[in-house]
Amino acid sequence: MENLNEMLPLVMQGAIIITAIVRLTIIIVRKFIGVFNNLLDINHYSRSTTRSAGNQYTRSVNTSANSNTRHNSVRNETGPVVYFANNPHGSSDKKYMFNYKKVDGSWRAYILRMPSLRGRDPSGVVTHRLFDNDEPYVCWDSDVDTLKGIQAISKVWADNIQEYIATGKTFG
């Protein structure tokens, strides 16, 4: 019993040291995230999860160092958002990635990733893509005022690209 009583202060000191290390690690990680966000000038990003039917659920996640900070600036960009297109033809690749940006008051869906066209005509006219400094985005015939609107448009576009890849059927 005496050995146990002698060890108790050592165990308590060890617990205090471990707690201090964990707290210090949390502070360092928070500082790193804050510095990283300031470098990119992005305080929020969208993370999406998908289901096999092609449905997309997007939620905003605050990644700033101080989550209690309110940001009054209007978000003009979402960051990468993944969508798995509806896939009636069973293609193994149905993953699309978009970055939604507001440009001159209208939302655009910049295409960060799309499946290979597997030999189909890749022209912007056929695939309904426009380019901004070699960055492709979904072509739409009018201004899009809301983020939800451009997200819906990009989903329809991705589903149509899947059909084009599988059958060659053009759209629009």
PDB file of all heavy atoms in Angstrom, residues 63-82:
ATOM      1  N   THR A  63     -14.240  26.681 -40.491  1.00  0.00           N
ATOM      2  CA  THR A  63     -12.900  26.194 -40.175  1.00  0.00           C
ATOM      3  C   THR A  63     -12.004  27.298 -39.652  1.00  0.00           C
ATOM      4  O   THR A  63     -10.798  27.143 -39.610  1.00  0.00           O
ATOM      5  CB  THR A  63     -12.240  25.567 -41.415  1.00  0.00           C
ATOM      6  OG1 THR A  63     -12.165  26.567 -42.420  1.00  0.00           O
ATOM      7  CG2 THR A  63     -13.003  24.356 -41.892  1.00  0.00           C
ATOM      8  N   SER A  64     -12.575  28.425 -39.259  1.00  0.00           N
ATOM      9  CA  SER A  64     -11.731  29.503 -38.750  1.00  0.00           C
ATOM     10  C   SER A  64     -11.183  29.135 -37.386  1.00  0.00           C
ATOM     11  O   SER A  64     -11.721  28.296 -36.684  1.00  0.00           O
ATOM     12  CB  SER A  64     -12.518  30.816 -38.680  1.00  0.00           C
ATOM     13  OG  SER A  64     -13.569  30.686 -37.754  1.00  0.00           O
ATOM     14  N   ALA A  65     -10.093  29.776 -37.006  1.00  0.00           N
ATOM     15  CA  ALA A  65      -9.439  29.464 -35.741  1.00  0.00           C
ATOM     16  C   ALA A  65     -10.366  29.736 -34.566  1.00  0.00           C
ATOM     17  O   ALA A  65     -10.355  29.026 -33.581  1.00  0.00           O
ATOM     18  CB  ALA A  65      -8.155  30.273 -35.595  1.00  0.00           C
ATOM     19  N   ASN A  66     -11.191  30.753 -34.651  1.00  0.00           N
ATOM     20  CA  ASN A  66     -12.130  31.065 -33.585  1.00  0.00           C
ATOM     21  C   ASN A  66     -13.533  30.898 -34.135  1.00  0.00           C
ATOM     22  O   ASN A  66     -14.030  31.749 -34.851  1.00  0.00           O
ATOM     23  CB  ASN A  66     -11.908  32.494 -33.086  1.00  0.00           C
ATOM     24  CG  ASN A  66     -12.828  32.852 -31.944  1.00  0.00           C
ATOM     25  OD1 ASN A  66     -13.707  32.081 -31.568  1.00  0.00           O
ATOM     26  ND2 ASN A  66     -12.627  34.034 -31.386  1.00  0.00           N
ATOM     27  N   SER A  67     -14.188  29.798 -33.795  1.00  0.00           N
ATOM     28  CA  SER A  67     -15.495  29.501 -34.373  1.00  0.00           C
ATOM     29  C   SER A  67     -16.574  30.451 -33.872  1.00  0.00           C
ATOM     30  O   SER A  67     -17.659  30.471 -34.415  1.00  0.00           O
ATOM     31  CB  SER A  67     -15.890  28.054 -34.076  1.00  0.00           C
ATOM     32  OG  SER A  67     -15.983  27.860 -32.680  1.00  0.00           O
ATOM     33  N   ASN A  68     -16.293  31.255 -32.843  1.00  0.00           N
ATOM     34  CA  ASN A  68     -17.272  32.213 -32.358  1.00  0.00           C
ATOM     35  C   ASN A  68     -17.253  33.502 -33.163  1.00  0.00           C
ATOM     36  O   ASN A  68     -18.120  34.347 -33.006  1.00  0.00           O
ATOM     37  CB  ASN A  68     -17.009  32.542 -30.876  1.00  0.00           C
ATOM     38  CG  ASN A  68     -17.226  31.330 -30.005  1.00  0.00           C
ATOM     39  OD1 ASN A  68     -18.082  30.498 -30.296  1.00  0.00           O
ATOM     40  ND2 ASN A  68     -16.448  31.218 -28.939  1.00  0.00           N
ATOM     41  N   THR A  69     -16.274  33.671 -34.037  1.00  0.00           N
ATOM     42  CA  THR A  69     -16.149  34.884 -34.840  1.00  0.00           C
ATOM     43  C   THR A  69     -17.262  34.922 -35.883  1.00  0.00           C
ATOM     44  O   THR A  69     -17.513  33.952 -36.569  1.00  0.00           O
ATOM     45  CB  THR A  69     -14.783  34.918 -35.554  1.00  0.00           C
ATOM     46  OG1 THR A  69     -13.768  34.841 -34.569  1.00  0.00           O
ATOM     47  CG2 THR A  69     -14.629  36.190 -36.364  1.00  0.00           C
ATOM     48  N   ARG A  70     -17.922  36.045 -35.992  1.00  0.00           N
ATOM     49  CA  ARG A  70     -18.940  36.219 -37.027  1.00  0.00           C
ATOM     50  C   ARG A  70     -18.287  36.855 -38.242  1.00  0.00           C
ATOM     51  O   ARG A  70     -17.534  37.818 -38.129  1.00  0.00           O
ATOM     52  CB  ARG A  70     -20.059  37.129 -36.527  1.00  0.00           C
ATOM     53  CG  ARG A  70     -20.804  36.549 -35.358  1.00  0.00           C
ATOM     54  CD  ARG A  70     -22.073  35.928 -35.838  1.00  0.00           C
ATOM     55  NE  ARG A  70     -22.822  35.438 -34.694  1.00  0.00           N
ATOM     56  CZ  ARG A  70     -23.349  34.244 -34.647  1.00  0.00           C
ATOM     57  NH1 ARG A  70     -23.218  33.434 -35.649  1.00  0.00           N
ATOM     58  NH2 ARG A  70     -24.023  33.858 -33.604  1.00  0.00           N
ATOM     59  N   HIS A  71     -18.601  36.334 -39.415  1.00  0.00           N
ATOM     60  CA  HIS A  71     -18.046  36.880 -40.653  1.00  0.00           C
ATOM     61  C   HIS A  71     -19.162  37.610 -41.384  1.00  0.00           C
ATOM     62  O   HIS A  71     -20.144  37.000 -41.789  1.00  0.00           O
ATOM     63  CB  HIS A  71     -17.473  35.759 -41.523  1.00  0.00           C
ATOM     64  CG  HIS A  71     -16.355  35.029 -40.845  1.00  0.00           C
ATOM     65  ND1 HIS A  71     -15.090  35.546 -40.757  1.00  0.00           N
ATOM     66  CD2 HIS A  71     -16.324  33.852 -40.183  1.00  0.00           C
ATOM     67  CE1 HIS A  71     -14.325  34.720 -40.085  1.00  0.00           C
ATOM     68  NE2 HIS A  71     -15.043  33.682 -39.723  1.00  0.00           N
ATOM     69  N   ASN A  72     -19.014  38.901 -41.540  1.00  0.00           N
ATOM     70  CA  ASN A  72     -20.038  39.703 -42.176  1.00  0.00           C
ATOM     71  C   ASN A  72     -19.876  39.769 -43.687  1.00  0.00           C
ATOM     72  O   ASN A  72     -20.740  40.257 -44.377  1.00  0.00           O
ATOM     73  CB  ASN A  72     -20.029  41.118 -41.589  1.00  0.00           C
ATOM     74  CG  ASN A  72     -20.421  41.108 -40.131  1.00  0.00           C
ATOM     75  OD1 ASN A  72     -21.244  40.295 -39.722  1.00  0.00           O
ATOM     76  ND2 ASN A  72     -19.834  42.001 -39.350  1.00  0.00           N
ATOM     77  N   SER A  73     -18.757  39.286 -44.202  1.00  0.00           N
ATOM     78  CA  SER A  73     -18.538  39.354 -45.637  1.00  0.00           C
ATOM     79  C   SER A  73     -19.427  38.338 -46.347  1.00  0.00           C
ATOM     80  O   SER A  73     -19.754  37.292 -45.817  1.00  0.00           O
ATOM     81  CB  SER A  73     -17.074  39.080 -45.969  1.00  0.00           C
ATOM     82  OG  SER A  73     -16.729  37.772 -45.571  1.00  0.00           O
ATOM     83  N   VAL A  74     -19.819  38.671 -47.554  1.00  0.00           N
ATOM     84  CA  VAL A  74     -20.647  37.794 -48.358  1.00  0.00           C
ATOM     85  C   VAL A  74     -19.740  36.760 -49.014  1.00  0.00           C
ATOM     86  O   VAL A  74     -18.709  37.106 -49.582  1.00  0.00           O
ATOM     87  CB  VAL A  74     -21.405  38.604 -49.435  1.00  0.00           C
ATOM     88  CG1 VAL A  74     -22.193  37.694 -50.343  1.00  0.00           C
ATOM     89  CG2 VAL A  74     -22.304  39.630 -48.782  1.00  0.00           C
ATOM     90  N   ARG A  75     -20.124  35.505 -48.918  1.00  0.00           N
ATOM     91  CA  ARG A  75     -19.322  34.448 -49.531  1.00  0.00           C
ATOM     92  C   ARG A  75     -19.506  34.477 -51.034  1.00  0.00           C
ATOM     93  O   ARG A  75     -20.616  34.466 -51.532  1.00  0.00           O
ATOM     94  CB  ARG A  75     -19.731  33.096 -48.975  1.00  0.00           C
ATOM     95  CG  ARG A  75     -19.199  32.897 -47.588  1.00  0.00           C
ATOM     96  CD  ARG A  75     -19.469  31.545 -47.028  1.00  0.00           C
ATOM     97  NE  ARG A  75     -19.217  30.497 -47.973  1.00  0.00           N
ATOM     98  CZ  ARG A  75     -19.759  29.296 -47.893  1.00  0.00           C
ATOM     99  NH1 ARG A  75     -20.560  29.014 -46.911  1.00  0.00           N
ATOM    100  NH2 ARG A  75     -19.489  28.376 -48.781  1.00  0.00           N
ATOM    101  N   ASN A  76     -18.396  34.517 -51.739  1.00  0.00           N
ATOM    102  CA  ASN A  76     -18.429  34.535 -53.193  1.00  0.00           C
ATOM    103  C   ASN A  76     -17.839  33.276 -53.795  1.00  0.00           C
ATOM    104  O   ASN A  76     -17.682  33.190 -55.007  1.00  0.00           O
ATOM    105  CB  ASN A  76     -17.672  35.760 -53.715  1.00  0.00           C
ATOM    106  CG  ASN A  76     -18.392  37.049 -53.367  1.00  0.00           C
ATOM    107  OD1 ASN A  76     -19.618  37.123 -53.434  1.00  0.00           O
ATOM    108  ND2 ASN A  76     -17.655  38.047 -52.981  1.00  0.00           N
ATOM    109  N   GLU A  77     -17.504  32.305 -52.959  1.00  0.00           N
ATOM    110  CA  GLU A  77     -16.901  31.074 -53.442  1.00  0.00           C
ATOM    111  C   GLU A  77     -17.120  29.981 -52.392  1.00  0.00           C
ATOM    112  O   GLU A  77     -17.036  30.232 -51.201  1.00  0.00           O
ATOM    113  CB  GLU A  77     -15.403  31.286 -53.671  1.00  0.00           C
ATOM    114  CG  GLU A  77     -14.697  30.106 -54.258  1.00  0.00           C
ATOM    115  CD  GLU A  77     -13.265  30.434 -54.646  1.00  0.00           C
ATOM    116  OE1 GLU A  77     -12.848  31.611 -54.545  1.00  0.00           O
ATOM    117  OE2 GLU A  77     -12.557  29.506 -55.049  1.00  0.00           O
ATOM    118  N   THR A  78     -17.398  28.763 -52.847  1.00  0.00           N
ATOM    119  CA  THR A  78     -17.681  27.686 -51.903  1.00  0.00           C
ATOM    120  C   THR A  78     -16.481  26.817 -51.587  1.00  0.00           C
ATOM    121  O   THR A  78     -16.432  26.211 -50.538  1.00  0.00           O
ATOM    122  CB  THR A  78     -18.755  26.732 -52.445  1.00  0.00           C
ATOM    123  OG1 THR A  78     -18.264  26.102 -53.635  1.00  0.00           O
ATOM    124  CG2 THR A  78     -20.058  27.453 -52.706  1.00  0.00           C
ATOM    125  N   GLY A  79     -15.534  26.720 -52.494  1.00  0.00           N
ATOM    126  CA  GLY A  79     -14.513  25.687 -52.370  1.00  0.00           C
ATOM    127  C   GLY A  79     -15.033  24.416 -53.021  1.00  0.00           C
ATOM    128  O   GLY A  79     -16.167  24.365 -53.486  1.00  0.00           O
ATOM    129  N   PRO A  80     -14.214  23.371 -53.079  1.00  0.00           N
ATOM    130  CA  PRO A  80     -14.597  22.148 -53.791  1.00  0.00           C
ATOM    131  C   PRO A  80     -15.847  21.480 -53.215  1.00  0.00           C
ATOM    132  O   PRO A  80     -15.985  21.322 -52.011  1.00  0.00           O
ATOM    133  CB  PRO A  80     -13.387  21.238 -53.615  1.00  0.00           C
ATOM    134  CG  PRO A  80     -12.260  22.150 -53.287  1.00  0.00           C
ATOM    135  CD  PRO A  80     -12.858  23.302 -52.547  1.00  0.00           C
ATOM    136  N   VAL A  81     -16.754  21.100 -54.105  1.00  0.00           N
ATOM    137  CA  VAL A  81     -17.967  20.371 -53.753  1.00  0.00           C
ATOM    138  C   VAL A  81     -18.060  19.167 -54.692  1.00  0.00           C
ATOM    139  O   VAL A  81     -17.950  19.321 -55.910  1.00  0.00           O
ATOM    140  CB  VAL A  81     -19.223  21.256 -53.894  1.00  0.00           C
ATOM    141  CG1 VAL A  81     -20.488  20.462 -53.605  1.00  0.00           C
ATOM    142  CG2 VAL A  81     -19.141  22.458 -52.967  1.00  0.00           C
ATOM    143  N   VAL A  82     -18.261  17.994 -54.135  1.00  0.00           N
ATOM    144  CA  VAL A  82     -18.316  16.760 -54.922  1.00  0.00           C
ATOM    145  C   VAL A  82     -19.768  16.381 -55.196  1.00  0.00           C
ATOM    146  O   VAL A  82     -20.628  16.501 -54.326  1.00  0.00           O
ATOM    147  CB  VAL A  82     -17.606  15.602 -54.179  1.00  0.00           C
ATOM    148  CG1 VAL A  82     -17.793  14.281 -54.898  1.00  0.00           C
ATOM    149  CG2 VAL A  82     -16.128  15.911 -54.022  1.00  0.00           C
TER     150      VAL A  82
END
